[in-house]
Amino acid sequence: GEAAAEPLVEMPLTLTRRGEGGEGGEQEVVTLRVHKGQDASEQVFAFCAANGLHSADEVSKLGGLVSGRLEEAGHAREEATSAAALVARGARQRREGGYPPPPPH
């Protein structure tokens, strides 16, 4: 069962670490992996938290990339309820005043 340990998604990402005074920092390559059975959006959140990516833009961009990779690999959409979708849905509900209307009878 060696093959079982293969990640579904493996994305090397180059992050720029800011220096103390905000001057150009080090470039560092970190790899985001999602394994079968893991929640892709949770992996994205954990990765962002671990690497100090706190902007909603970064999170949703990564969520979208991961979802795209999972789809290319032939994995069902529901495995990747992307962080972006969750964020967007929350924003939409706030804008529309909360819950969806009841279905017509």
Short mmCIF file of all heavy atoms in Angstrom, two decimals, residues 5-13 30-35 66 69:
data_model
loop_
_atom_site.label_atom_id
_atom_site.label_comp_id
_atom_site.label_asym_id
_atom_site.label_seq_id
_atom_site.Cartn_x
_atom_site.Cartn_y
_atom_site.Cartn_z
N ALA A 5 -0.28 6.47 0.02
CA ALA A 5 0.27 7.66 0.68
C ALA A 5 0.49 8.81 -0.29
O ALA A 5 0.85 9.90 0.12
CB ALA A 5 1.56 7.31 1.40
N GLU A 6 0.30 8.55 -1.58
CA GLU A 6 0.48 9.63 -2.57
C GLU A 6 -0.53 10.74 -2.33
O GLU A 6 -1.73 10.47 -2.23
CB GLU A 6 0.25 9.08 -3.99
CG GLU A 6 1.41 8.30 -4.54
CD GLU A 6 2.57 9.22 -4.91
OE1 GLU A 6 2.39 10.08 -5.78
OE2 GLU A 6 3.63 9.09 -4.29
N PRO A 7 -0.08 11.99 -2.24
CA PRO A 7 -1.05 13.08 -2.08
C PRO A 7 -1.88 13.25 -3.35
O PRO A 7 -1.38 13.02 -4.44
CB PRO A 7 -0.19 14.30 -1.80
CG PRO A 7 1.19 13.95 -2.23
CD PRO A 7 1.30 12.45 -2.26
N LEU A 8 -3.12 13.66 -3.19
CA LEU A 8 -3.98 13.97 -4.34
C LEU A 8 -3.48 15.24 -5.00
O LEU A 8 -3.54 15.39 -6.21
CB LEU A 8 -5.42 14.21 -3.87
CG LEU A 8 -6.15 13.03 -3.24
CD1 LEU A 8 -7.55 13.46 -2.84
CD2 LEU A 8 -6.21 11.86 -4.20
N VAL A 9 -3.06 16.17 -4.16
CA VAL A 9 -2.59 17.46 -4.66
C VAL A 9 -1.25 17.73 -4.01
O VAL A 9 -1.08 17.53 -2.81
CB VAL A 9 -3.56 18.60 -4.27
CG1 VAL A 9 -2.99 19.95 -4.69
CG2 VAL A 9 -4.92 18.37 -4.89
N GLU A 10 -0.29 18.16 -4.82
CA GLU A 10 1.00 18.55 -4.28
C GLU A 10 1.41 19.81 -5.03
O GLU A 10 1.66 19.75 -6.23
CB GLU A 10 2.01 17.43 -4.51
CG GLU A 10 3.27 17.58 -3.71
CD GLU A 10 4.05 16.27 -3.63
OE1 GLU A 10 3.77 15.36 -4.43
OE2 GLU A 10 4.94 16.20 -2.77
N MET A 11 1.38 20.94 -4.36
CA MET A 11 1.65 22.21 -5.02
C MET A 11 2.80 22.95 -4.34
O MET A 11 2.64 23.43 -3.22
CB MET A 11 0.41 23.12 -4.97
CG MET A 11 -0.73 22.63 -5.80
SD MET A 11 -2.02 23.89 -6.06
CE MET A 11 -1.96 24.83 -4.57
N PRO A 12 3.94 23.01 -5.01
CA PRO A 12 5.02 23.84 -4.46
C PRO A 12 4.66 25.31 -4.67
O PRO A 12 4.26 25.71 -5.76
CB PRO A 12 6.25 23.46 -5.29
CG PRO A 12 5.82 22.38 -6.22
CD PRO A 12 4.33 22.38 -6.28
N LEU A 13 4.79 26.11 -3.63
CA LEU A 13 4.46 27.53 -3.71
C LEU A 13 5.64 28.33 -3.19
O LEU A 13 6.24 27.97 -2.18
CB LEU A 13 3.23 27.83 -2.84
CG LEU A 13 1.96 27.09 -3.28
CD1 LEU A 13 1.01 26.97 -2.11
CD2 LEU A 13 1.30 27.82 -4.43
N VAL A 30 7.48 26.26 -0.24
CA VAL A 30 6.78 25.35 0.66
C VAL A 30 5.78 24.58 -0.18
O VAL A 30 5.26 25.08 -1.16
CB VAL A 30 6.06 26.11 1.79
CG1 VAL A 30 7.05 26.61 2.82
CG2 VAL A 30 5.25 27.26 1.24
N THR A 31 5.52 23.35 0.21
CA THR A 31 4.62 22.51 -0.57
C THR A 31 3.34 22.24 0.19
O THR A 31 3.36 21.83 1.34
CB THR A 31 5.32 21.18 -0.92
OG1 THR A 31 6.54 21.46 -1.60
CG2 THR A 31 4.44 20.33 -1.83
N LEU A 32 2.24 22.54 -0.49
CA LEU A 32 0.91 22.29 0.07
C LEU A 32 0.46 20.93 -0.44
O LEU A 32 0.43 20.70 -1.64
CB LEU A 32 -0.05 23.39 -0.40
CG LEU A 32 -1.55 23.17 -0.15
CD1 LEU A 32 -1.85 22.97 1.32
CD2 LEU A 32 -2.33 24.36 -0.67
N ARG A 33 0.16 20.03 0.48
CA ARG A 33 -0.30 18.69 0.08
C ARG A 33 -1.69 18.40 0.65
O ARG A 33 -1.97 18.77 1.78
CB ARG A 33 0.66 17.61 0.61
CG ARG A 33 2.02 17.63 -0.05
CD ARG A 33 2.87 16.48 0.48
NE ARG A 33 4.20 16.52 -0.12
CZ ARG A 33 5.20 17.26 0.35
NH1 ARG A 33 5.04 18.00 1.43
NH2 ARG A 33 6.38 17.24 -0.25
N VAL A 34 -2.51 17.75 -0.15
CA VAL A 34 -3.80 17.28 0.32
C VAL A 34 -3.84 15.78 0.03
O VAL A 34 -3.66 15.36 -1.11
CB VAL A 34 -4.98 17.98 -0.39
CG1 VAL A 34 -6.31 17.42 0.12
CG2 VAL A 34 -4.91 19.49 -0.17
N HIS A 35 -4.06 14.98 1.06
CA HIS A 35 -4.13 13.53 0.89
C HIS A 35 -5.58 13.08 0.81
O HIS A 35 -6.48 13.76 1.27
CB HIS A 35 -3.43 12.83 2.06
CG HIS A 35 -1.94 13.02 2.05
ND1 HIS A 35 -1.09 12.21 1.35
CD2 HIS A 35 -1.17 13.96 2.64
CE1 HIS A 35 0.15 12.64 1.51
NE2 HIS A 35 0.14 13.71 2.30
N VAL A 66 -6.41 24.56 -5.41
CA VAL A 66 -6.53 23.20 -4.90
C VAL A 66 -7.75 22.51 -5.50
O VAL A 66 -7.68 21.37 -5.95
CB VAL A 66 -6.57 23.19 -3.36
CG1 VAL A 66 -6.92 21.80 -2.84
CG2 VAL A 66 -5.22 23.63 -2.80
N ARG A 69 -7.03 21.51 -9.00
CA ARG A 69 -6.16 20.34 -9.06
C ARG A 69 -6.94 19.06 -8.78
O ARG A 69 -6.74 18.05 -9.43
CB ARG A 69 -5.01 20.47 -8.05
CG ARG A 69 -3.98 21.49 -8.41
CD ARG A 69 -3.17 21.06 -9.64
NE ARG A 69 -2.24 22.11 -10.01
CZ ARG A 69 -0.97 22.16 -9.59
NH1 ARG A 69 -0.50 21.24 -8.78
NH2 ARG A 69 -0.19 23.15 -9.97
#
